[in-house]
Amino acid sequence: MKSLSVATLALAIATGAILTATTQPAEAQKKQFIAIGTGGPTGVYFVTGNAICRMIHKEAAEGRKAGRKHGIRCAAPSSGGSTYNIGQIKEGELEFGVAQSDWQYHAHNESNPDKVVPYSKLRAVFSVHPEPYQLIVAQGSGIQSFKDLKGKRVNIGNPGSGQRGTTEVLMEAHGLSTSDFALATELTSTEQAKALCDGKIDAIGYTVGVPNSGVAVATDGCDAEIVNLNTSVEEGLVEKFPYYAFSTIPKGTYKTSTADVTTFGVKATFVTSADVSDDLVYEVVRAVFENLDDFRKLHPAFANLKPEEMIQDGLTAPLHPGAEKFYKEQGWM
Ligand code: GLU
């Protein structure tokens, strides 16, 4: 009996193997797994990446009904942020990523290798929400401008985050270095608000979409405030660099937003590599734009997204040809 059951098992395995061998390849070709780099789990990039995946999966399900299968399966794990994502796209570990427009610019132009990996094959897909740079200060810290950070405990952000790079640019423009701070921490976007409310740091420099639950932990949770950044130094940055623009965080956004805050900011952009296939990028882009009404509902920062701005604003790397094909078919370019 024992030998019979082993034989039966062996036969079953062999049959299974043959069945698998004859049915699997066609199925396997249709399935394609992609990964999108985002940011910390409390940020807007995390929502962005997962919203894009959701549209891809929605399109796949509807496509199946309509007889148009694309078979793309998508994951958007949390990550270190903009410059980490660009580095991983270059390594081929990620197919797509969300990145600040300033770091897209420098990666593609290979113009700031200390802060972002030079990668001329970086390609733009579309831009998403605006990201104002926010100096968030503890209640009673006395900090009213970036210069006031001298002698304070400041979170400059984790390496790999866009906030880290942009904070360093601002520090250089103001003639400050980490040695001017009482403490420079490298906390992630998820850790920083709690550290501020726990009295461990005095200020946070953060580039993020509005509104953001992570910022609210500090503003609504322990009365932290967002400070105006509109001195001649910030004006100089906006004049000098194409990817910066002044922006406003409206009164009422957070509990402590008693007046409009003026600061400068960038755009969140969706990027990929020239090595990623045109067909894949086309399908991803189609999934997002054919479902843009649904996409807009997934975060308040997406509410005002407009195709004509998304295919142009903040994009300095060349558009990926797969994206360009879709935009041309729509008559948008
Ligand atoms: N702009 C931030 C960065 O590049 C991420 C913001 C977010 O997670 O929404 O690191």
Side-chain angles (χ1 to χ4, degrees):
M1 280 305 282
K2 198 176 176 191
S3 63
L4 183 64
S5 66
V6 170
T8 312
L9 187 65
L11 184 67
I13 291 169
T15 317
I18 291 161
L19 276 178
T20 313
T22 50
T23 57
Q24 201 89 314
E27 283 296 308
Q29 272 170 11
K30 281 183 210 137
K31 278 206 183 114
Q32 192 166 10
F33 290 89
I34 61 166
I36 300 174
T38 63
T42 55
V44 185
Y45 284 11
F46 189 67
V47 183
T48 306
N50 283 283
I52 293 169
C53 284
R54 194 154 151 183
M55 297 308 119
I56 292 168
H57 295 157
K58 179 173 186 271
E59 191 72 10
E62 285 171 4
R64 271 196 293 279
K65 276 182 242 148
R68 198 192 69 219
K69 296 185 184 181
H70 71 48
I72 305 166
R73 300 289 181 276
C74 179
S78 68
S79 85
S82 292
T83 55
Y84 172 87
N85 295 340
I86 293 171
Q88 292 300 100
I89 290 170
K90 181 174 181 176
E91 293 300 314
E93 295 292 331
L94 293 171
E95 283 73 28
F96 296 91
V98 192
Q100 291 180 199
S101 50
D102 46 353
W103 302 117
Q104 178 195 137
Y105 177 99
H106 287 299
H108 175 259
N109 292 326
E110 309 196 325
S111 47
N112 202 337
D114 293 343
K115 295 190 176 60
V116 65
V117 68
Y119 188 41
S120 61
K121 282 162 102 176
L122 190 70
R123 292 292 175 269
V125 183
F126 52 80
S127 61
V128 204
H129 53 282
E131 294 192 276
Y133 181 88
Q134 294 159 60
L135 181 60
I136 304 155
V137 306
Q139 185 61 237
S141 66
I143 302 164
Q144 287 175 337
S145 69
F146 201 84
K147 270 217 150 32
D148 292 342
L149 293 178
K150 226 173 172 173
K152 302 289 185 185
R153 300 163 301 165
V154 184
N155 186 42
I156 60 173
N158 63 285
S161 67
Q163 80 181 91
R164 171 62 169 270
T166 309
T167 299
E168 286 176 350
V169 167
L170 207 45
M171 285 164 59
E172 285 156 22
H174 279 275
L176 293 170
S177 72
T178 49
S179 59
D180 293 307
F181 301 150
L183 177 68
T185 55
E186 298 188 314
L187 302 173
T188 64
S189 56
T190 310
E191 298 163 327
Q192 62 192 1
K194 186 170 185 306
L196 190 96
C197 288
D198 286 349
K200 294 191 174 128
I201 52 174
D202 304 305
I204 294 166
Y206 190 22
T207 327
V208 70
V210 177
N212 167 242
S213 58
V215 173
V217 168
T219 53
D220 300 25
C222 65
D223 295 331
E225 286 174 9
I226 306 172
V227 167
N228 282 310
L229 292 178
N230 55 357
T231 68
S232 57
V233 174
E234 288 86 23
E235 266 170 28
L237 287 174
V238 170
E239 260 167 44
K240 187 167 168 198
F241 298 112
Y243 41 76
Y244 291 141
F246 276 110
S247 74
T248 301
I249 301 166
K251 178 180 169 178
T253 303
Y254 299 108
K255 193 177 112 188
T256 53
S257 306
T258 50
D260 286 357
V261 171
T262 305
T263 181
F264 71 102
V266 293
K267 278 255 172 167
T269 70
F270 190 54
V271 294
T272 188
S273 163
D275 291 339
V276 171
S277 79
D278 292 5
D279 288 350
L280 177 59
V281 176
Y282 180 89
E283 286 299 343
V284 170
V285 164
R286 169 157 70 183
V288 170
F289 284 96
E290 286 190 350
N291 296 285
L292 195 58
D293 285 339
D294 289 338
F295 188 91
R296 284 192 193 100
K297 288 178 197 142
L298 295 176
H299 194 284
F302 305 154
N304 298 318
L305 293 180
K306 294 179 188 70
E308 58 274 26
E309 291 172 3
M310 294 172 76
I311 67 169
Q312 196 178 343
D313 292 0
L315 308 182
T316 40
L319 269 181
H320 191 286
E324 196 172 339
K325 181 176 169 222
F326 182 80
Y327 303 151
K328 284 193 169 145
E329 279 174 11
Q330 300 302 304
W332 295 340
M333 28 185 339

